[in-house]
PDB file of all heavy atoms in Angstrom:
ATOM      1  N   PHE A 608      92.735 112.862  55.120  1.00 96.00           N
ATOM      2  CA  PHE A 608      93.830 111.972  54.669  1.00 96.00           C
ATOM      3  C   PHE A 608      94.262 110.947  55.701  1.00 96.00           C
ATOM      4  O   PHE A 608      95.168 110.139  55.489  1.00 96.00           O
ATOM      5  CB  PHE A 608      95.049 112.755  54.176  1.00 96.00           C
ATOM      6  CG  PHE A 608      95.345 113.905  55.194  1.00 96.00           C
ATOM      7  CD1 PHE A 608      95.747 113.653  56.497  1.00 96.00           C
ATOM      8  CD2 PHE A 608      95.275 115.151  54.756  1.00 96.00           C
ATOM      9  CE1 PHE A 608      96.100 114.609  57.440  1.00 96.00           C
ATOM     10  CE2 PHE A 608      95.500 116.221  55.617  1.00 96.00           C
ATOM     11  CZ  PHE A 608      95.890 115.979  57.036  1.00 96.00           C
ATOM     12  N   THR A 609      93.503 110.909  56.824  1.00 97.00           N
ATOM     13  CA  THR A 609      94.036 110.110  57.925  1.00 97.00           C
ATOM     14  C   THR A 609      93.618 108.616  57.816  1.00 97.00           C
ATOM     15  O   THR A 609      92.535 108.272  57.572  1.00 97.00           O
ATOM     16  CB  THR A 609      93.465 110.725  59.251  1.00 97.00           C
ATOM     17  OG1 THR A 609      93.786 112.056  59.382  1.00 97.00           O
ATOM     18  CG2 THR A 609      94.029 109.913  60.522  1.00 97.00           C
ATOM     19  N   VAL A 610      94.601 107.722  58.279  1.00 97.00           N
ATOM     20  CA  VAL A 610      94.367 106.267  58.392  1.00 97.00           C
ATOM     21  C   VAL A 610      94.246 105.975  59.846  1.00 97.00           C
ATOM     22  O   VAL A 610      95.100 106.329  60.706  1.00 97.00           O
ATOM     23  CB  VAL A 610      95.555 105.495  57.798  1.00 97.00           C
ATOM     24  CG1 VAL A 610      95.381 104.073  58.063  1.00 97.00           C
ATOM     25  CG2 VAL A 610      95.601 105.719  56.258  1.00 97.00           C
ATOM     26  N   TYR A 611      93.140 105.381  60.274  1.00 97.00           N
ATOM     27  CA  TYR A 611      92.845 104.991  61.582  1.00 97.00           C
ATOM     28  C   TYR A 611      93.197 103.465  61.640  1.00 97.00           C
ATOM     29  O   TYR A 611      92.357 102.726  61.049  1.00 97.00           O
ATOM     30  CB  TYR A 611      91.517 105.346  62.100  1.00 97.00           C
ATOM     31  CG  TYR A 611      91.274 106.786  62.081  1.00 97.00           C
ATOM     32  CD1 TYR A 611      90.637 107.384  61.029  1.00 97.00           C
ATOM     33  CD2 TYR A 611      91.681 107.615  63.141  1.00 97.00           C
ATOM     34  CE1 TYR A 611      90.373 108.776  60.996  1.00 97.00           C
ATOM     35  CE2 TYR A 611      91.447 109.004  63.138  1.00 97.00           C
ATOM     36  CZ  TYR A 611      90.815 109.503  62.030  1.00 97.00           C
ATOM     37  OH  TYR A 611      90.587 110.909  62.008  1.00 97.00           O
ATOM     38  N   ARG A 612      94.143 102.965  62.423  1.00 97.00           N
ATOM     39  CA  ARG A 612      94.456 101.498  62.426  1.00 97.00           C
ATOM     40  C   ARG A 612      94.259 100.996  63.825  1.00 97.00           C
ATOM     41  O   ARG A 612      95.000 101.398  64.798  1.00 97.00           O
ATOM     42  CB  ARG A 612      95.930 101.367  61.943  1.00 97.00           C
ATOM     43  CG  ARG A 612      96.441  99.965  61.889  1.00 97.00           C
ATOM     44  CD  ARG A 612      95.849  99.298  60.576  1.00 97.00           C
ATOM     45  NE  ARG A 612      96.349  97.969  60.519  1.00 97.00           N
ATOM     46  CZ  ARG A 612      95.622  96.894  60.871  1.00 97.00           C
ATOM     47  NH1 ARG A 612      94.482  97.036  61.468  1.00 97.00           N
ATOM     48  NH2 ARG A 612      96.199  95.687  60.710  1.00 97.00           N
ATOM     49  N   MET A 613      93.409 100.136  64.016  1.00 95.00           N
ATOM     50  CA  MET A 613      93.122  99.370  65.312  1.00 95.00           C
ATOM     51  C   MET A 613      93.468  97.987  65.222  1.00 95.00           C
ATOM     52  O   MET A 613      92.960  97.260  64.335  1.00 95.00           O
ATOM     53  CB  MET A 613      91.693  99.714  65.736  1.00 95.00           C
ATOM     54  CG  MET A 613      91.401  99.065  67.062  1.00 95.00           C
ATOM     55  SD  MET A 613      89.705  99.259  67.610  1.00 95.00           S
ATOM     56  CE  MET A 613      89.736 101.014  68.131  1.00 95.00           C
ATOM     57  N   ILE A 614      94.400  97.488  66.163  1.00 96.00           N
ATOM     58  CA  ILE A 614      94.743  96.109  66.141  1.00 96.00           C
ATOM     59  C   ILE A 614      94.708  95.710  67.649  1.00 96.00           C
ATOM     60  O   ILE A 614      95.086  96.496  68.497  1.00 96.00           O
ATOM     61  CB  ILE A 614      96.054  95.721  65.492  1.00 96.00           C
ATOM     62  CG1 ILE A 614      97.134  96.695  66.084  1.00 96.00           C
ATOM     63  CG2 ILE A 614      95.953  95.806  64.069  1.00 96.00           C
ATOM     64  CD1 ILE A 614      98.505  96.312  65.624  1.00 96.00           C
ATOM     65  N   GLY A 615      94.266  94.533  67.912  1.00 93.00           N
ATOM     66  CA  GLY A 615      94.215  94.068  69.413  1.00 93.00           C
ATOM     67  C   GLY A 615      93.544  92.758  69.456  1.00 93.00           C
ATOM     68  O   GLY A 615      93.328  92.044  68.509  1.00 93.00           O
ATOM     69  N   THR A 616      93.238  92.416  70.716  1.00 93.00           N
ATOM     70  CA  THR A 616      92.502  91.245  71.052  1.00 93.00           C
ATOM     71  C   THR A 616      91.226  91.593  71.738  1.00 93.00           C
ATOM     72  O   THR A 616      91.123  92.530  72.593  1.00 93.00           O
ATOM     73  CB  THR A 616      93.339  90.348  72.020  1.00 93.00           C
ATOM     74  OG1 THR A 616      94.588  90.112  71.464  1.00 93.00           O
ATOM     75  CG2 THR A 616      92.635  89.074  72.358  1.00 93.00           C
ATOM     76  N   VAL A 617      90.148  91.028  71.347  1.00 92.00           N
ATOM     77  CA  VAL A 617      88.843  91.236  71.948  1.00 92.00           C
ATOM     78  C   VAL A 617      88.757  90.837  73.408  1.00 92.00           C
ATOM     79  O   VAL A 617      88.832  89.587  73.647  1.00 92.00           O
ATOM     80  CB  VAL A 617      87.685  90.582  71.055  1.00 92.00           C
ATOM     81  CG1 VAL A 617      86.272  90.940  71.731  1.00 92.00           C
ATOM     82  CG2 VAL A 617      87.738  91.044  69.662  1.00 92.00           C
ATOM     83  N   LEU A 618      88.611  91.728  74.249  1.00 88.00           N
ATOM     84  CA  LEU A 618      88.659  91.408  75.747  1.00 88.00           C
ATOM     85  C   LEU A 618      87.263  91.269  76.308  1.00 88.00           C
ATOM     86  O   LEU A 618      87.070  90.694  77.328  1.00 88.00           O
ATOM     87  CB  LEU A 618      89.271  92.636  76.494  1.00 88.00           C
ATOM     88  CG  LEU A 618      90.716  92.988  76.076  1.00 88.00           C
ATOM     89  CD1 LEU A 618      91.254  94.165  76.809  1.00 88.00           C
ATOM     90  CD2 LEU A 618      91.615  91.711  76.319  1.00 88.00           C
ATOM     91  N   HIS A 619      86.264  91.731  75.630  1.00 86.00           N
ATOM     92  CA  HIS A 619      84.848  91.655  76.016  1.00 86.00           C
ATOM     93  C   HIS A 619      83.934  91.655  74.873  1.00 86.00           C
ATOM     94  O   HIS A 619      84.235  92.330  73.812  1.00 86.00           O
ATOM     95  CB  HIS A 619      84.551  92.731  77.061  1.00 86.00           C
ATOM     96  CG  HIS A 619      83.168  92.677  77.822  1.00 86.00           C
ATOM     97  ND1 HIS A 619      81.978  92.996  77.118  1.00 86.00           N
ATOM     98  CD2 HIS A 619      82.845  92.279  78.982  1.00 86.00           C
ATOM     99  CE1 HIS A 619      80.977  92.763  77.972  1.00 86.00           C
ATOM    100  NE2 HIS A 619      81.540  92.360  79.126  1.00 86.00           N
ATOM    101  N   GLY A 620      82.783  90.976  74.865  1.00 86.00           N
ATOM    102  CA  GLY A 620      81.875  90.919  73.741  1.00 86.00           C
ATOM    103  C   GLY A 620      81.315  92.355  73.391  1.00 86.00           C
ATOM    104  O   GLY A 620      80.846  92.581  72.264  1.00 86.00           O
ATOM    105  N   ASP A 621      81.443  93.322  74.328  1.00 88.00           N
ATOM    106  CA  ASP A 621      80.897  94.645  74.095  1.00 88.00           C
ATOM    107  C   ASP A 621      82.091  95.700  74.071  1.00 88.00           C
ATOM    108  O   ASP A 621      81.822  96.879  74.196  1.00 88.00           O
ATOM    109  CB  ASP A 621      79.815  95.003  75.046  1.00 88.00           C
ATOM    110  CG  ASP A 621      79.105  96.350  74.691  1.00 88.00           C
ATOM    111  OD1 ASP A 621      78.856  96.621  73.565  1.00 88.00           O
ATOM    112  OD2 ASP A 621      78.842  97.144  75.675  1.00 88.00           O
ATOM    113  N   ALA A 622      83.284  95.204  74.077  1.00 89.00           N
ATOM    114  CA  ALA A 622      84.445  96.114  74.026  1.00 89.00           C
ATOM    115  C   ALA A 622      84.508  96.915  72.733  1.00 89.00           C
ATOM    116  O   ALA A 622      83.736  96.638  71.794  1.00 89.00           O
ATOM    117  CB  ALA A 622      85.784  95.365  74.277  1.00 89.00           C
TER     118      ALA A 622
END
Side-chain angles (χ1 to χ4, degrees):
F608 42 68
T609 304
V610 173
Y611 298 96
R612 183 76 178 98
M613 181 179 285
I614 51 175
T616 304
V617 179
L618 301 176
H619 188 283
D621 188 42

